Amino acid sequence: MYWEKYAHHTIKEKVTKALRQNLDYRDRDVLGLPATFLDPKVFYSDAPFLKDAPYMQTMVANPNHIGCHTLTEAEPAFSGTHAIERDLIKICACEIFKSKEGEYDGYVASGGTEANIEAMWILRNYFRKERGAKPGEIALVYSQDSHYSMPKGANLLSLHSIVVPVAEETRQIQPEALKEAVQEAKEEGFKYFILVMNMSTTMFGSVDDIGTATSCLDALEVEYRVHVDGAYGGFIYPFACKEEHPYTFENPKIVSFSLDAHKLVQSPYGTGIFLARKGMIEYALTEEAQYVKGKDYTLVGSRSGANAVAVWMILRTYGSEGWVAKTADLIERTDRLCMSLDERSIPYYRHPKMNIVAIKGSAVPQEIVQQFMLVPDTHEGKPSWVKIVVMEHVTQGKLDKFLFALDGVSR
Ligand SMILES: *Cc1c(COP(=O)(O)O)cnc(C)c1O
């Protein structure tokens, strides 16, 4: 895994150059595009700070990244920043998830929700088109700890949901329960399965055992494809894993990944990332998108080029080595928190490659949950678990303060 780190002046130069390559509504006689720069009364482009702020400059220039730029020739008006998005997608697909050069497609989606729904949409259409699947033959399989975008997507796409229970302490999918549920669905007439694997759940940071889950489905001899929800873990788990792990494009069972840069990467909201194997995103083609040059393969339609620039700037500012160091720091702080909980015999769940600690609700008094804004697994009734997410703002000092509060020491 390697991508180069760029100094601020290099980033500035590249973004400025990209914006110059983009169409400038001020210079050219643009009469047809239903797009323009941001309102100049409010967002004046001669504000002096803009000179040194490439992201803000991009926002003001307001390029539209509609469509999928790894795939087709898109609107030439924004080719400069489209190339930046392509570089970002390449870093994610090739360096983080080990795709071979040119064997992926992807785009910056509005978030993990959209990326997950795009994945389900593609696979649903794949089964319809390639297998003639009828309504009532495709099911979406995911664990009880999965994000709510799964039921949301299943509802939108008329997919049958199979929610598989997890073990209370390990948060792992129960193979017997998975087999039983899929077998039952098979008997009911379901023939095609979209299996969602969590490369970290939101509440626990648990990572589904993809090998176990796929061998359950293999044993039942049903046809399935795998989508990986890395919206939470995508920018930390692959970096924390020093040894080989099964969550890459080298795993032939995986079709697509979702990532969220607006969580751990600390980029602005609107920066989900969708990645798929080459040849799959075509199943989300909307032929009727005639006015869009290159047509549309995404769920969202118009989207801001500034979002792609923001994520690209962050990943390029760190470089792969800087990103490994940054995530290692989060993991270390999480390790230390867990040791402190161990010393106090406070029960919790934590995946060793993740920065989430879910503490048993009964071990943390309600005032402390509220004081430190721990997130409960449910807002209805007493929570079974309350979680801490060790992000950049969750400093050692704040964690110490939490531990002191637990000890009943007031400071
Ligand atoms: C946050 C999250 C999502 C949804 O992401 P949004 O960016 O809020 O749409 C999906 N899956 C997981 C695991 C998440 O943590």
Side-chain angles (χ1 to χ4, degrees):
M1 167 157 40
Y2 180 78
W3 70 86
E4 196 183 338
K5 164 189 169 69
Y6 294 157
H8 179 69
H9 67 90
T10 310
I11 288 179
K12 207 170 77 179
E13 239 169 66
K14 286 184 187 279
V15 174
T16 308
K17 196 170 146 221
L19 289 175
R20 237 184 283 122
Q21 248 172 49
N22 280 8
L23 162 123
D24 188 332
Y25 298 105
R26 288 178 178 82
D27 298 344
R28 287 266 308 276
D29 301 331
V30 188
L31 305 184
L33 289 183
T36 189
F37 44 70
L38 291 188
D39 186 290
K41 232 192 173 103
V42 181
F43 305 101
Y44 35 98
S45 63
D46 58 352
F49 68 87
L50 284 175
K51 201 164 58 54
D52 275 319
Y55 166 66
M56 300 286 185
Q57 257 179 46
T58 314
M59 284 201 68
V60 173
N62 204 26
N64 191 348
H65 278 207
I66 193 167
C68 173
H69 312 309
T70 55
L71 191 64
T72 51
E73 224 173 283
E75 187 50 67
F78 308 114
S79 61
T81 47
H82 288 170
I84 289 184
E85 175 164 336
R86 266 199 302 281
D87 190 46
L88 165 66
I89 298 296
K90 183 176 163 185
I91 290 174
C92 296
C94 297
E95 300 306 324
I96 306 180
F97 295 109
K98 299 188 180 174
S99 169
K100 291 209 185 83
E101 186 72 36
E103 294 192 359
Y104 59 88
D105 283 305
Y107 72 98
V108 178
S110 58
T113 297
E114 184 193 331
N116 284 339
I117 296 173
E118 171 90 5
M120 297 174 209
W121 189 30
I122 285 172
L123 289 174
R124 186 199 68 171
N125 289 355
Y126 169 81
F127 285 130
R128 281 185 176 178
K129 195 160 174 204
E130 302 301 329
R131 302 288 183 268
K134 293 189 267 304
E137 290 185 340
I138 311 174
L140 183 73
V141 185
Y142 53 91
S143 89
Q144 159 200 350
D145 286 346
S146 300
H147 188 260
Y148 71 87
S149 45
M150 306 315 159
K152 186 187 269 186
N155 180 286
L156 281 166
L157 295 165
S158 298
L159 297 168
H160 172 65
S161 279
I162 298 177
V163 185
V164 188
V166 300
E168 178 64 18
E169 302 303 320
T170 65
R171 310 315 295 180
Q172 280 299 321
I173 289 177
Q174 298 297 282
E176 288 317 313
L178 172 60
K179 269 193 214 156
E180 204 175 297
V182 173
Q183 177 61 31
E184 213 168 274
K186 201 176 152 187
E187 281 159 21
E188 281 166 30
F190 289 95
K191 291 189 179 144
Y192 310 100
F193 297 85
I194 300 168
L195 176 63
V196 177
M197 289 279 98
N198 294 297
M199 188 179 59
S200 165
T201 57
T202 320
M203 183 63 208
F204 294 92
S206 52
V207 177
D208 291 335
D209 183 340
I210 183 170
T212 303
T214 54
S215 47
C216 287
L217 270 67
D218 288 338
L220 294 169
E221 298 186 328
V222 291
E223 187 170 359
Y224 67 94
R225 295 288 182 277
V226 180
H227 167 66
V228 178
D229 184 1
Y232 187 81
F235 282 106
I236 183 163
Y237 178 81
F239 298 88
C241 285
K242 300 280 177 280
E243 57 288 337
E244 290 275 304
H245 66 88
Y247 279 108
T248 70
F249 279 115
E250 286 175 352
N251 185 339
K253 307 209 181 227
I254 295 173
V255 172
S256 52
F257 286 91
S258 299
L259 299 173
D260 252 345
H262 58 219
K263 287 181 179 153
L264 287 178
V265 181
Q266 297 171 259
S267 68
Y269 287 113
T271 51
I273 290 176
F274 176 72
L275 303 171
R277 260 180 216 287
K278 201 83 191 164
M280 291 309 289
I281 207 165
E282 282 82 351
Y283 293 99
L285 166 65
T286 303
E287 280 286 353
E288 294 85 345
Q290 291 296 344
Y291 77 82
V292 183
K293 184 145 193 291
K295 304 230 174 87
D296 195 7
Y297 298 80
T298 72
L299 192 52
V300 70
S302 292
R303 55 194 177 85
S304 169
N307 287 338
V309 168
V311 186
W312 178 86
M313 281 175 62
I314 297 171
L315 295 186
R316 282 296 185 188
T317 296
Y318 283 86
S320 50
E321 284 153 8
W323 198 257
V324 168
K326 176 168 168 133
T327 50
D329 185 58
L330 295 175
I331 296 278
E332 253 175 58
R333 225 180 303 150
T334 315
D335 290 345
R336 183 163 163 189
L337 169 63
C338 287
M339 278 191 274
S340 305
L341 294 173
D342 287 339
E343 282 163 13
R344 290 162 175 80
S345 302
I346 293 170
Y348 61 88
Y349 169 86
R350 188 241 172 155
H351 187 290
K353 308 289 186 211
M354 291 297 305
N355 62 337
I356 294 179
V357 181
I359 305 173
K360 276 280 166 75
S362 54
V364 191
Q366 191 50 36
E367 318 83 76
I368 295 184
V369 170
Q370 273 167 7
Q371 184 189 344
F372 292 94
M373 297 181 87
L374 306 194
V375 171
D377 59 346
T378 174
H379 288 279
E380 289 161 13
K382 256 198 146 89
S384 305
W385 302 88
V386 290
K387 76 164 170 179
I388 292 180
V389 180
V390 182
M391 298 191 66
E392 180 146 336
H393 65 272
V394 183
T395 56
Q396 192 57 49
K398 286 183 188 162
L399 290 168
D400 287 350
K401 201 167 155 191
F402 165 72
L403 291 164
F404 281 135
L406 274 185
D407 292 340
V409 179
S410 59
R411 307 251 154 167

